[in-house]
Amino acid sequence: MLYLGAHLSASKGFLAMGETAKKIGANTFQFFTRNPRGGSAKNLDMEDIKKYLEFSKENDFGKIVAHAPYTMNLCSKDEKIRKFGRDMFSDDLDRMEKLPGNYYNFHPGSHTGQGLEIGIDEIADALNEILFPGMKTTVLLETMAGKGSEVGSHFEELAEIISKVKLNECLGVCLDTCHVTDSGYNIILEPDEIMKKFGDTIGFDRLKAVHLNDSKFGLSSHKDRHEKIGEGKIGLEPLLKFIEREEIRNLPIILETPNDEEGYAREIEILRKNFK
């Protein structure tokens, strides 16, 4: 089944997000766990969660993706920022356990001048501190565009983080089509080579979700600027061929394009209409 969704506002709760997703033709969605710039999270409404879980089962929804705040940086050279990130991460995971079996996606972080290897070690150390036995949430490291001192713009970096985490059975990867393009992977001309590299380096068992975004600036730009599907440097056809791949077609595919609900509905309709 094709699980297509978009990034939705969590302000009205899970049932409202599910109903909005259904209205725009989606059968999954992504949401921020709290303000994307950080801060405290709203109290969970367990009745709302119960209603959403019933709704998702009735409507054959796929796994949903929670997105960590952008301010989370597990490998900053500033210990206060690292602690702030670990505290948010732990709180978010505790909350996600109320929706067991879903995904928690985060940007690995920026080493802020410490160097890549220190950044990788800091991220792995944080995950070793935060993850716990028996957790039902899978944590996803997102592929990054390589802007500034970001960690995770190459598959090898994500693989190294995963290898250093004791409970790495709890870890997966979310592949962002804009980010991998901006970081230098050519999904237009070399999709087979890219996926082979992913499989050889990380393993397809780790690939759990896709952020489907066109790229405003394109190959090796390191800009991380999303564009609407078909209006950027990647284009509709390469993106369609990418999500039609056997390794991807049954994963949650989330649109993070610069759109409102009507725009997401149009993109979802186009993708469903042309998906083979």
Side-chain angles (χ1 to χ4, degrees), residues 38-246:
S40 59
K42 291 173 59 178
N43 291 331
L44 292 177
D45 182 339
M46 296 309 298
E47 184 61 27
D48 173 60
I49 289 175
K50 179 182 177 182
K51 290 178 180 177
Y52 167 72
L53 292 174
E54 292 170 354
F55 174 89
S56 66
K57 186 175 181 180
E58 291 168 1
N59 290 278
D60 295 321
F61 268 44
K63 293 179 184 294
I64 58 174
V65 182
H67 199 302
Y70 294 138
T71 48
M72 182 185 291
N73 187 1
L74 300 181
C75 61
S76 170
K77 63 183 176 183
D78 187 327
E79 169 58 24
K80 290 181 181 178
I81 293 175
R82 294 202 303 273
K83 184 179 185 307
F84 177 68
R86 291 194 300 269
D87 289 346
M88 277 198 297
F89 202 124
S90 293
D91 186 47
D92 282 351
L93 275 192
D94 181 62
R95 294 159 65 83
M96 283 301 296
E97 289 296 290
K98 308 298 191 297
L99 291 122
N102 290 294
Y103 297 141
Y104 180 70
N105 179 74
F106 78 106
H107 293 182
S110 296
H111 62 71
T112 57
Q114 300 181 98
L116 181 60
E117 286 304 318
I118 291 177
I120 286 171
D121 286 343
E122 291 282 6
I123 295 163
D125 288 348
L127 290 170
N128 280 323
E129 177 184 320
I130 294 165
L131 304 184
F132 55 91
M135 57 185 285
K136 301 296 192 294
T137 303
T138 301
V139 171
L140 308 184
L141 297 102
E142 184 172 341
T143 59
M144 301 307 296
K147 182 175 62 178
S149 61
E150 281 180 341
V151 178
S153 63
H154 294 91
F155 298 155
E156 292 85 355
E157 296 166 21
L158 298 181
E160 189 173 352
I161 293 168
I162 291 168
S163 73
K164 292 174 180 284
V165 176
K166 295 173 185 176
L167 295 176
N168 65 28
E169 66 272 17
C170 303
L171 296 178
V173 170
C174 175
L175 189 154
D176 187 303
T177 56
C178 171
H179 292 177
V180 295
T181 298
D182 288 12
S183 72
Y185 295 104
N186 193 334
I187 68 172
I188 300 175
L189 298 179
E190 300 174 340
D192 292 341
E193 292 86 343
I194 290 167
M195 293 312 290
K196 182 179 187 306
K197 186 175 183 63
F198 186 99
D200 291 346
T201 307
I202 298 175
F204 291 125
D205 59 321
R206 299 280 185 189
L207 184 56
K208 302 297 184 182
V210 170
H211 285 164
L212 191 68
N213 302 302
D214 213 324
S215 171
K216 188 174 183 66
F217 291 102
L219 188 65
S220 300
S221 65
H222 306 293
K223 294 287 190 182
D224 188 5
R225 290 288 300 279
H226 300 182
E227 186 53 277
K228 296 176 183 178
I229 301 299
E231 296 185 19
K233 300 294 185 179
I234 304 174
L236 175 60
E237 284 304 315
L239 290 171
L240 271 170
K241 288 179 181 177
F242 200 70
I243 65 171
E244 288 167 357
R245 298 183 66 90
E246 201 62 38

